[in-house]
Amino acid sequence: MSRRRLDNRSGLSAGLLGEIQTPISIDSMESVYEVTGEIGRGKFAVVKRCVEKTSGKVFAAKFLRKRRRGRDCRAEVVHEMAVLEMARNNTRVVNLHAAHETDHDIILILEYAAGGEIFDHCVSEELLPETQITRLIRQTLEGVHHLHQCSVVHLDLKPQNILLTSLSPPGDIKIVDFGLARRLGAAGELREILGTPEYVAPEVLNYEPITTATDLWSVGVIAYMLVTGESPFAGDDKQETYLNVSQVNVDYSREAFARVSELAVDFIRKLLVKTPEDRPSAAECMSHPWLWQQQQLCLSPEFIAVRTIRERSCGTKWAAPLEDPEDKENFLESPHSQAKKSRFDEEAPTAGGSDF
Ligand code: ADP
Ligand code: MG
């Protein structure tokens, strides 16, 4: 897999996109939408549910502060819009509908993901069955693959930034929060310290070059959390978390994985490896048998044989599904209801290295 590195010659502005097509309206957003309540909050953003007055359609309004820590960050908000525009045709990435600007904020009007964060499914008493988890991971990989093909890395993939279109039954995923996303450049390297400690790859902590493989580490963490209900690297404090990440100190003990399939463990083990070059790409991940196992159980042996022959003759690692796997899967009893929980302290993303 080829991994292009990020251009860091201009410091924090490396990898930022500047061109946007969406007009930024200076009309008050309240004249167009009725705001109905807060649905999320980060370090520099508040997200509110709102209803478009003319259509009655529901959206999520993300209010992003233009000044942060005394610095003008308008360019970074424009960059977030540009990444959303770039991924506009991909159903796994949340859609940008419109934008408004006030003295203090730029407000992104986003497609509303009514099902909330997949994080809620990681900390729930009743974890999702593996058939559901593999569907969500497949969809996440589709979105990540698309971003990587567009030479963009997300750098903040975590269960709080993967949303669902509906809660019960769990809908399709929507990737959100492109504030830390960066474009890969042909020259130079990005070694910025970004992301949330529990979810970032060792190369980020070690100030080594960041590549598309950095996102795949996070996919491994997300998969671990969905199947075990535990956060693989969370320590009692930040230092312990960093140490756990940089030593790839992962618990594959029988207790945590008592009800988890061997294929799930194999998938996670392949992603949570220290050397980025040794991690599979998003496309390679898609052909891992774990992601198709449950589906195959529902298919007839003849069907599977046809698929195997077709895959062999294609010679591709990107295993194309025979049928659209989305939305129509059966919901099985969760085998994880007794899963033990661990810390899930939400840490705000850090940038620029000061918090590390
Ligand atoms: P931040 O950069 O502050 O982390 P996010 O874009 O991640 O901002 O939004 C914060 C939270 O708001 C998300 O984790 C999610 O819970 C909620 N949220 C964000 N976008 C949407 C959306 N389009 N639909 C529904 N909820 C959303
Ligand atoms: Mg976020």
Side-chain angles (χ1 to χ4, degrees):
M1 169 197 157
S2 70
R3 292 195 178 98
R4 294 162 66 199
R5 289 176 172 176
L6 295 160
D7 187 346
N8 195 32
R9 285 170 300 178
S10 49
L12 263 179
S13 62
L16 293 186
L17 301 171
E19 300 273 312
I20 50 167
Q21 258 92 57
T22 309
I24 302 181
S25 169
I26 51 166
D27 294 343
S28 124
M29 70 86 70
E30 284 85 1
S31 64
V32 186
Y33 305 91
E34 189 191 337
V35 178
T36 58
E38 188 175 315
I39 48 179
R41 185 175 278 268
K43 216 171 190 177
F44 304 111
V46 179
V47 180
K48 295 179 181 175
R49 186 181 178 280
C50 64
V51 182
E52 193 171 40
K53 290 177 182 171
T54 52
S55 67
K57 277 186 77 176
V58 179
F59 292 95
K62 180 171 180 179
F63 293 70
L64 284 145
R65 287 218 305 270
K66 289 190 282 185
R67 282 195 81 77
R68 302 167 191 176
R69 295 191 179 123
R71 208 166 60 85
D72 179 6
C73 292
R74 192 177 190 280
E76 275 148 58
V77 181
V78 168
H79 162 76
E80 191 166 340
M81 291 178 67
V83 176
L84 288 167
E85 283 182 358
M86 190 211 65
R88 181 157 270 161
N89 295 327
N90 191 274
T91 55
R92 306 305 178 208
V93 172
V94 78
N95 190 49
L96 174 66
H97 174 69
H100 291 255
E101 184 162 12
T102 66
D103 287 346
H104 297 290
D105 295 317
I106 290 182
I107 305 147
L108 308 185
I109 308 295
L110 302 164
E111 170 186 8
Y112 178 57
E117 305 168 6
I118 64 164
F119 181 78
D120 297 335
H121 291 283
C122 298
V123 294
S124 158
E125 273 303 306
E126 187 85 350
L127 295 177
L128 291 171
E130 277 193 31
T131 43
Q132 280 296 329
I133 295 172
T134 52
R135 184 180 67 89
L136 301 181
I137 294 291
R138 279 200 308 264
Q139 292 188 353
T140 303
L141 285 166
E142 283 170 23
V144 171
H145 175 67
H146 178 78
L147 293 172
H148 291 180
Q149 285 214 306
C150 299
S151 298
V152 167
V153 279
H154 187 285
L155 300 183
D156 201 17
L157 289 173
K158 56 183 177 179
Q160 296 86 340
N161 287 336
I162 312 284
L163 308 186
L164 292 169
T165 52
S166 62
L167 178 63
S168 186
D172 295 328
I173 70 105
K174 296 284 171 185
I175 301 175
V176 299
D177 196 356
F178 290 83
L180 299 185
R182 290 294 182 272
R183 190 193 179 93
L184 299 161
E189 292 175 345
L190 183 83
R191 295 167 190 263
E192 289 172 36
I193 294 181
L194 301 168
T196 311
E198 256 174 85
Y199 311 104
V200 294
E203 63 268 22
V204 177
L205 300 181
N206 294 336
Y207 203 65
E208 285 161 3
I210 288 165
T211 67
T212 49
T214 305
D215 281 343
L216 272 306
W217 171 279
S218 305
V219 172
V221 175
I222 292 168
Y224 186 109
M225 291 179 69
L226 282 168
V227 296
T228 66
E230 296 180 13
S231 184
F233 300 108
D236 288 336
D237 53 40
K238 246 185 201 178
Q239 283 318 110
E240 199 181 307
T241 302
Y242 295 161
L243 206 64
N244 286 339
V245 172
S246 62
Q247 295 178 345
V248 196
N249 186 11
V250 190
D251 177 12
Y252 293 107
S253 71
R254 286 214 199 104
E255 191 191 356
F257 282 89
R259 313 292 297 267
V260 175
S261 73
E262 277 177 29
L263 281 173
V265 178
D266 183 74
F267 179 84
I268 294 164
R269 274 188 192 277
K270 289 201 158 73
L271 289 175
L272 298 183
V273 294
K274 185 148 183 169
T275 308
E277 289 75 20
D278 292 342
R279 287 172 218 146
S281 66
E284 287 164 351
C285 282
M286 286 292 284
S287 63
H288 191 282
W290 180 51
L291 298 182
W292 304 104
Q293 181 197 32
Q294 312 294 334
Q295 205 188 337
Q296 285 185 356
L297 293 176
C298 309
L299 302 176
S300 69
E302 295 84 355
F303 212 17
I304 293 168
V306 168
R307 190 174 112 168
T308 309
I309 291 162
R310 202 178 65 172
E311 279 166 12
R312 281 201 192 120
S313 63
C314 289
T316 173
K317 279 188 162 183
W318 183 273
L322 275 178
E323 57 180 28
D324 184 359
E326 293 165 34
D327 308 337
K328 302 179 190 78
E329 299 197 8
N330 296 322
F331 302 109
L332 308 174
E333 278 280 293
S334 167
H336 304 287
S337 50
Q338 299 305 315
K340 180 166 89 44
K341 300 296 174 297
S342 71
R343 291 176 66 236
F344 286 99
D345 305 331
E346 168 64 345
E347 299 231 35
T350 53
S354 58
D355 295 341
F356 276 74

